[in-house]
């Protein structure tokens, strides 16, 4: 089956929004063993939509269209497709009830434009959008299929997962490839490649594929078999091997969040955690709290961005701040130990660093971060030299700190 | 001038890499006043490249092609375009010298495949690539222009800036569209559309275009003129109008970050801010700290996720917690006032809510958030009913809290 993707939206063409939908759809189809054949971004212009759908129907069997389904005047996808498939709009009561509930729950009045969201093309299969008011639409014509989805990424993704993919699997005979992704933290791509060189070669000999998917602080290693689920055991044996050899890096599988992994470990140990954060300004706590159920182990934290608050909130002695400077092993340690007392938690993660782009010196350049973890057994420290980019320095600090605690909880030597 | 973008690369189609080049090129052309007309991603397949260039030459005057210029076997763009334009490869000594220097500087041996990078199509204008070994190529044929650039983002970008854009400006008389984007917080898309209905109609009468670009908690309104920069004043007058009519929603222009806007206001007032966060777990602080220079106004905060820490750190009286519950106006107020004393800042933002997906009751459903801002003049509160999605509830809480403080700093009534 040949699949094409059409993304509709001026905002994508003028670069106001980066098109992450196309990449996400590419991955979703890859998991079914289908490579997207072509992806095109076009304007919110009726004739452009018609011409592009025509062209895609020449070349592909299934076309996913995203965008242009909102309630405002610039959203013309539904009207255009309704005309293209020679049908007309009718009121869909199920969708109307959903839209009504949607507004009621938010204590908001429903407008005429919202009611219009329930006017849908006759003959199309309507796909329920739990997270929004614009449903998806599944059109079929002359053995070609077109599926129209909202452009808002989280609406598009949940519609794909809950509605489109199950229907595709049941309607078409799809033999998918099978993937597992190993999540690693704390090592760079080229260093990892050198370390796992032989493991990687054996994997190729077993006709598996490997892709390195790096992002700041994290590498995902995706292992793929074209034979599908029958290779699950083989892939699992490779995963066990890399987990055993590199427990300091491998923290999970298939997109697991390292903070959730740490949270599970804390729960297992019946232990609590708190934070004392400087350069991350609450980002470590925020990452814990992002996971539902975090109140079972996460208690709270101190954001000691100023030196004054490092002293006042976390009781870092003023002479330590003066003698060693805010970004130092001694201060990180004092923050963690001070936090342990104030927050009354078993573990405390403390970080202090120079996120940049300004504030660096020759001795303490931008990107230098000290972190400490206070545990019931004692306090441990490490430091890192990240780069010049503020956002990435903050992100990496958060991830390295989470992995530091993970390793201490599992008694893994780095 | 109509511009199209063709991105070549399997890794983009299977979603291994998000296509940031297309967005960047969209922005670069927008700055010239040109909207990219269409952007297509295709495989590294010769016939696909030829067909797509053919199709783009039907519809556009200038085509930017990225990708497929590397030294490995899967890079076929150069050979394909050389054939397409009916020319042949010849050794370019300037490029050869550059490639040699490139490897020498990195202490690496040059391979045969690297020398091949200096074999370039006769008749094409060769564009120097300071950051890599694959130069850009500028082809012209029958009044159509095609520019081939490497796919590595930083190589592509510097080639565009240093070579392509100056040449484009000198060769073509460029008149294109002009955009400005108004940033709004605190109102839903359809409610906004109803409120600004007449403004929007007049805008259309003035031959301007409007697009609504919503994301959780934020709406961007993009106003476009096809006449280019000459409509800048007209667009500005519409922006002034919406700013005057809805100062409670409009916080900035062209992608500004609301936390940065609030930071500037605090700096202007020579004021400091701190936070006491429950359901956002540090996300508000983290958003302040994301902006460089935030230490001038942001001091720190308390993350009081547990009730115990609400009492212990922010001195929320236990009887208030017991009588009203953690998610209540009274507790939000007490958190803000307690924080003001402990953190010793002029302003404190405090939030407490039920982020979900669990923990809701009939009285206090998931999505209920109370927030308070303590100011030198007194404490103010508001509450919201967001949805069921934990991540979006946290994100929206952060944005609404920032706007709440912004409005208080500017003495804007909601």
């Amino acid at each position: 089956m040949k699949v094409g993707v059409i993304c509709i939206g001026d905002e994508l063409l003028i670069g106001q929004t980066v098109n992450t939908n196309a990449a996400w759809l590419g991955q979703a189809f890859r998991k079914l063993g289908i490579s997207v054949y072509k992806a095109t971004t076009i304007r919110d212009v009726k004739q452009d939509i018609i011409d592009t759908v025509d062209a895609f129907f020449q070349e592909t069997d299934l076309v996913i269209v995203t965008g242009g389904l909102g309630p405002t005047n610039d959203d013309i996808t539904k009207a255009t497709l309704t005309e293209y498939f020679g049908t007309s709009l009718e009121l869909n009561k199920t969708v109307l009830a959903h839209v009504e509930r949607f507004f009621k729950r938010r204590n908001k009045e429903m407008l005429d434009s919202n009611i219009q969201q329930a006017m849908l093309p006759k003959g199309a299969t309507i796909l329920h959008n739990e997270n929004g008011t614009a449903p998806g639409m599944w059109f079929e014509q002359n053995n070609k299929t077109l599926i129209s989805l909202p452009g808002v990424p989280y609406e598009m993704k949940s519609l794909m997962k809950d509605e489109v993919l199950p229907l595709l699997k049941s309607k078409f005979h799809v033999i998918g490839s099978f993937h597992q992704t190993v999540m690693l933290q704390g090592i760079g791509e080229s260093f990892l490649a050198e370390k796992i060189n032989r493991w990687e070669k054996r994997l190729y000999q077993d006709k598996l594929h490997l892709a390195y998917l790096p992002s700041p602080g994290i590498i995902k290693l995706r292992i793929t078999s074209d034979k599908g689920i029958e290779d699950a055991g083989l892939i699992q044996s490779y995963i066990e091997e890399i987990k055993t050899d590199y427990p300091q890096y491998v923290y999970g599988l298939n997109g697991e969040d390292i903070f959730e992994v740490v949270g599970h470990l804390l729960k297992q140990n019946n232990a609590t955690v708190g934070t004392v954060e400087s350069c991350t300004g609450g980002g470590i706590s925020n990452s814990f709290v992002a996971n539902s159920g975090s109140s079972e182990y996460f208690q709270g934290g101190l954001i000691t961005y100023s030196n004054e608050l490092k002293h006042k909130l976390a009781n870092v002695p003023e002479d330590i701040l003066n003698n060693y400077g805010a970004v130092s092993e001694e201060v990180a340690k004092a923050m963690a130990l001070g936090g342990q007392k104030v927050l009354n938690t078993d573990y405390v993660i403390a970080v202090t660093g120079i996120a940049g782009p300004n504030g660096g010196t020759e001795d303490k350049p931008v990107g230098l971060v000290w972190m400490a973890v206070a545990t019931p057994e004692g306090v441990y420290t490490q430091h890192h030299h990240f780069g010049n980019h503020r956002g990435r320095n903050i992100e990496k600090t958060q991830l390295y700190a989470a992995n530091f605690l993970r390793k201490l909880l599992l008694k893994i030597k780095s």
Side-chain angles (χ1 to χ4, degrees), chain A:
Chain A
M1 186 167 58
K2 265 186 156 178
V3 175
V5 171
I6 302 174
C7 301
I8 298 175
D10 292 345
E11 72 283 5
L12 301 170
L13 285 169
I14 67 164
Q16 193 153 20
T17 306
V18 174
N19 188 351
T20 55
N21 281 348
W24 192 90
L25 286 165
Q27 285 179 359
F29 279 99
R30 187 88 183 98
K31 282 183 199 152
L32 294 183
I34 299 168
S35 293
V36 167
Y37 170 75
K38 184 185 267 194
T40 286
T41 307
I42 57 173
R43 303 178 298 171
D44 300 276
V45 170
K46 183 176 162 184
Q47 198 56 46
D48 290 14
I49 298 175
I50 291 170
D51 292 346
T52 307
V53 171
D54 265 343
F56 270 65
F57 272 172
Q58 299 295 317
E59 297 184 295
T60 58
D61 309 300
L62 169 67
V63 180
I64 305 284
V65 176
T66 65
L69 297 183
T72 52
N73 290 328
D74 57 326
D75 294 306
I76 60 165
T77 303
K78 183 170 72 181
T80 304
L81 292 175
T82 301
E83 189 183 323
Y84 183 88
F85 289 102
T87 179
S88 60
L89 297 175
E90 63 180 1
L91 183 72
N92 183 309
K93 288 189 180 158
T94 316
V95 173
L96 183 63
H98 165 66
V99 173
E100 284 170 349
R101 271 198 312 276
F102 194 89
F103 279 86
K104 203 171 166 195
R105 257 242 320 280
R106 284 160 182 76
N107 270 327
K108 284 187 177 163
E109 212 184 314
M110 210 160 86
L111 306 173
D112 229 34
S113 59
N114 303 123
I115 299 170
Q116 291 302 315
Q117 299 285 67
M119 294 294 294
L120 291 161
K122 271 185 220 169
T125 304
I126 302 306
L127 308 170
H128 176 65
N129 179 359
E130 179 61 31
N131 297 304
T133 57
M137 297 172 286
W138 176 303
F139 298 91
E140 290 185 10
Q141 194 173 69
N142 308 325
N143 276 326
K144 304 283 184 178
T145 303
L146 183 146
I147 302 167
S148 162
L149 300 173
V152 180
Y154 70 84
E155 295 184 27
M156 183 282 287
K157 289 176 194 173
S158 68
L159 259 159
M160 277 294 292
K161 281 187 218 163
D162 300 342
E163 304 288 327
V164 176
L165 292 173
L167 254 172
L168 278 178
K169 282 179 194 159
S170 74
K171 284 210 172 193
F172 299 97
H173 179 61
V174 174
I175 310 182
S177 57
F178 178 76
H179 306 253
Q180 292 284 307
T181 305
V182 183
M183 311 292 297
L184 299 100
Q185 201 290 323
I187 185 166
E189 188 179 6
S190 47
F191 294 92
L192 178 64
E194 197 162 287
K195 276 187 197 282
I196 64 174
N197 182 25
R198 271 184 291 182
W199 177 87
E200 186 172 347
K201 275 195 185 134
R202 282 193 288 117
L203 203 138
Y204 292 137
Q205 282 161 8
D206 277 334
K207 306 272 181 246
L208 300 173
H209 311 288
L210 187 71
Y212 288 76
L213 308 170
S215 57
I218 298 278
I219 296 176
K220 299 183 195 177
L221 278 183
R222 191 184 61 220
I223 311 170
T224 307
S225 161
D226 293 332
K227 286 193 253 165
I229 195 89
E230 72 172 80
D231 269 346
L234 179 64
I235 289 178
Q236 191 56 39
S237 70
Y238 278 100
I239 293 174
E240 291 304 331
E241 206 178 314
I242 195 171
K243 269 169 78 173
T244 306
D245 290 350
Y246 303 105
Q248 70 273 46
Y249 306 131
V250 177
Y251 67 85
L253 291 180
N254 300 324
E256 269 184 287
D257 173 30
I258 193 165
F259 284 91
E260 195 168 12
V261 169
V262 172
H264 281 303
L265 291 172
L266 289 164
K267 253 197 287 191
Q268 276 171 21
N269 290 1
N270 212 6
T272 56
V273 68
T275 60
V276 182
E277 301 185 59
S278 184
C279 60
T280 47
I284 295 172
S285 301
N286 190 238
S287 304
F288 275 120
V289 166
N291 294 299
S292 97
S294 49
S295 58
E296 289 182 52
Y297 46 86
F298 179 73
Q299 299 293 301
L302 307 170
I303 303 170
T304 59
Y305 203 56
S306 67
N307 277 359
E308 195 192 324
L309 288 182
K310 283 182 186 67
H311 171 62
K312 195 173 165 197
L313 297 181
N315 299 317
V316 177
E318 278 173 328
D319 60 330
I320 289 191
L321 279 164
N322 294 333
N323 293 344
Y324 298 98
V327 180
S328 60
E329 181 169 23
E330 289 76 7
V331 168
K333 212 184 255 187
M335 286 166 70
L337 290 170
Q340 218 177 11
K341 279 203 188 125
V342 175
L343 301 168
N344 193 26
T345 55
D346 302 312
Y347 293 86
V348 165
I349 300 178
V351 297
T352 177
I354 301 148
N358 307 312
T361 63
E362 201 157 314
D363 274 8
K364 297 186 177 177
V366 167
L368 172 66
V369 175
W370 273 100
M371 48 183 75
V373 174
T375 74
E377 294 84 35
V379 62
Y380 302 85
T381 61
Q382 57 177 231
H383 72 291
H384 297 278
H385 288 275
F386 299 127
N388 274 326
H389 186 284
R390 184 177 184 84
R392 280 198 295 278
N393 287 341
I394 292 174
E395 205 179 333
K396 283 186 178 174
T397 302
Q398 294 168 188
L399 294 166
Y400 274 85
N403 201 18
F404 190 12
L405 175 54
R406 186 187 69 88
K407 288 183 286 185
L408 287 168
L409 285 165
L410 291 171
K411 319 246 182 257
I412 296 167
K413 297 247 188 302
S414 302

